[in-house]
Amino acid sequence: MSFLVTKLDEPLAGLDKIGVDPASIPIFQKKGQFIGLLIYDVPVIAANVIKQEMLAAGGDAAVHRSAITHKIEKTNVLTLGTLAQHDKVIRKLAMMPYWGLDLISQAMKECLYSEMPKEMPLPNGKKLVFDRTLIMGIVNVTPDSFYAASRVQKDQLLDYVAKMVQNGVDIVDIGGESTRPGSDRVPLDEELNRVLPAIELVKANFDVIISVDTYKSKVAEEALKLGVHIVNDISALRFDGKMLEVVLKYKPAVILMHMKGEPKTMQQNPYYEDVVKEILEFFVERISLLKKYGLDDRVIIDPGIGFGKRFEDNIEILKRLDQFKSLKVPLLIGHSRKSFIGHALGGIPAEERLFGTLAVTAYCVMKKVNILRVHDVAENLQIVKMISQLI
């Protein structure tokens, strides 16, 4: 007698091969879903309590090697265990109103159980539905964007956007100022003269969601008057003090991007102790600001690949995408043909970075990123459709 035994990378995927009672599936999911929560800057005495409670529940927690001797004041904590074990610890910590343990309990519960909205309302009756990874197509009405093939002249615009729409683009992102490393700012009138006619032309010919890529409040407001649905601000509403007023007035979706410095200087020796932690803290502050005005349901975050980041920072951001998903707001990644791909592939130019871009796209779809901002709509959308059948 012999038995066939196979190993499952996703253990719960085997439930449909067993014939279990459907009512038991949530129970197995709690017992079988392994969870790791990274909790930052925990007082060392609280960290030791969390570790002991995780051990008592049958899991474990990793803390700094000096936590047990209290030679440090704070430590990050990585909890390791099933969902059921975490539930036990969350309940225990909730009853401990000291050293911040009850607050940690609440934060753990929110991280595990709060959900990102499945759709986002937009002006003019439109909405974004996050049932798959969406593709945002880049339309640069600029003479100097880093990828020459993405620069669109006015007489080419209709054909350029028509091709995107025919290929199934979800969002068209129109920008009138290059924000490549080392770029200079474009005067307001010049950006308006580039962007507004392009928006009018697209609106008149296509029923598609439109985003305006700008950090200037006047450009955003005039674009919103024309019916734009999303403001894509590389400064996360920081460069122009009136941008928040515009957003509050028109209530578009807002893409908040992280950037260290500004495009002219952002690649001059950027440095991070922990790039993901710093970006997360930045987003928490920005989201809290919009929450005060009741607009947190319109927020999309973009970690800003290539904006004040070294090669290793960009790679680290991508490796740790799950942490950005923990904020429970839609996540956008703009990686298309960027220099980190060229660096990884031996220094190839933007014109040769399509395959590298598609590799990152596939990875992001598997990580359930909500929106991908790309130059090559048809190719990227094929990746999205194929990977979506496999996950």
Side-chain angles (χ1 to χ4, degrees), residues 25-46:
I25 291 177
I27 300 172
F28 283 115
Q29 288 174 334
K30 280 201 169 188
K31 291 181 177 179
Q33 185 178 354
F34 193 82
I35 301 292
L37 298 181
L38 180 56
I39 312 168
Y40 287 105
D41 298 328
V42 179
V44 67
I45 191 168

Side-chain angles (χ1 to χ4, degrees), residues 186-193 195-196 199 212-226 228 231 233 239-247 249-250:
V186 170
L188 174 61
D189 287 346
E190 187 172 348
E191 186 175 347
L192 287 168
N193 289 335
V195 168
L196 299 186
I199 292 170
V212 61
D213 180 3
T214 187
Y215 56 81
K216 297 184 179 78
S217 62
K218 182 64 174 176
V219 176
E221 182 163 29
E222 295 304 316
L224 288 162
K225 287 178 182 178
L226 293 176
V228 161
V231 173
D233 186 348
F239 284 0
D240 187 329
K242 294 183 179 179
M243 184 66 95
L244 180 58
E245 296 175 23
V246 171
V247 169
K249 180 178 179 181
Y250 293 92

Side-chain angles (χ1 to χ4, degrees), residues 39 42-43 46 50 90 92-111:
I39 312 168
V42 179
I50 294 169
I90 287 169
K92 287 290 293 291
L93 298 183
M95 297 184 289
M96 302 179 184
Y98 34 82
W99 307 314
L101 288 166
D102 53 341
L103 300 178
I104 291 171
S105 168
Q106 182 62 31
M108 291 171 68
K109 185 175 181 180
E110 289 177 2
C111 183

Side-chain angles (χ1 to χ4, degrees), residues 305-340:
I305 297 289
F307 283 81
K309 316 289 193 307
R310 301 162 297 181
F311 171 76
E312 58 266 34
D313 298 322
N314 295 318
I315 296 300
E316 186 75 2
I317 288 167
L318 291 170
K319 285 183 176 180
R320 295 166 64 184
L321 287 177
D322 289 346
Q323 288 186 253
F324 295 104
K325 299 286 287 185
S326 296
L327 294 177
K328 310 300 181 180
V329 296
L331 173 64
L332 181 150
I333 294 295
H335 61 290
S336 185
R337 295 183 179 266
K338 287 188 175 177
S339 60
F340 83 99

Side-chain angles (χ1 to χ4, degrees), residues 18-158:
I18 307 300
V20 300
D21 184 335
S24 70
I25 291 177
I27 300 172
F28 283 115
Q29 288 174 334
K30 280 201 169 188
K31 291 181 177 179
Q33 185 178 354
F34 193 82
I35 301 292
L37 298 181
L38 180 56
I39 312 168
Y40 287 105
D41 298 328
V42 179
V44 67
I45 191 168
N48 287 326
V49 172
I50 294 169
K51 182 173 180 66
Q52 291 305 312
E53 292 297 340
M54 284 299 302
L55 288 167
D60 206 341
V63 298
H64 191 280
R65 60 184 175 273
S66 296
I68 192 68
T69 59
H70 288 222
K71 290 182 179 179
I72 54 171
E73 292 185 3
K74 293 183 177 181
T75 176
N76 297 338
V77 178
L78 175 61
T79 63
L80 301 163
T82 65
L83 186 56
Q85 290 163 348
H86 277 86
D87 280 344
K88 289 180 182 178
V89 172
I90 287 169
R91 288 194 296 270
K92 287 290 293 291
L93 298 183
M95 297 184 289
M96 302 179 184
Y98 34 82
W99 307 314
L101 288 166
D102 53 341
L103 300 178
I104 291 171
S105 168
Q106 182 62 31
M108 291 171 68
K109 185 175 181 180
E110 289 177 2
C111 183
L112 286 175
Y113 290 108
S114 63
E115 294 186 359
M116 189 198 85
K118 291 182 171 55
E119 58 184 47
M120 178 177 290
L122 301 173
N124 307 312
K126 293 283 189 181
K127 63 182 177 180
L128 291 174
V129 179
F130 301 109
D131 55 354
R132 59 176 173 81
T133 298
L134 305 179
I135 291 294
M136 171 185 277
I138 300 168
V139 178
N140 290 320
V141 285
T142 58
D144 56 347
S145 293
F146 82 92
Y147 176 45
S150 72
R151 303 170 193 165
V152 187
Q153 302 300 318
K154 186 175 181 179
D155 59 350
Q156 303 170 325
L157 183 64
L158 276 181

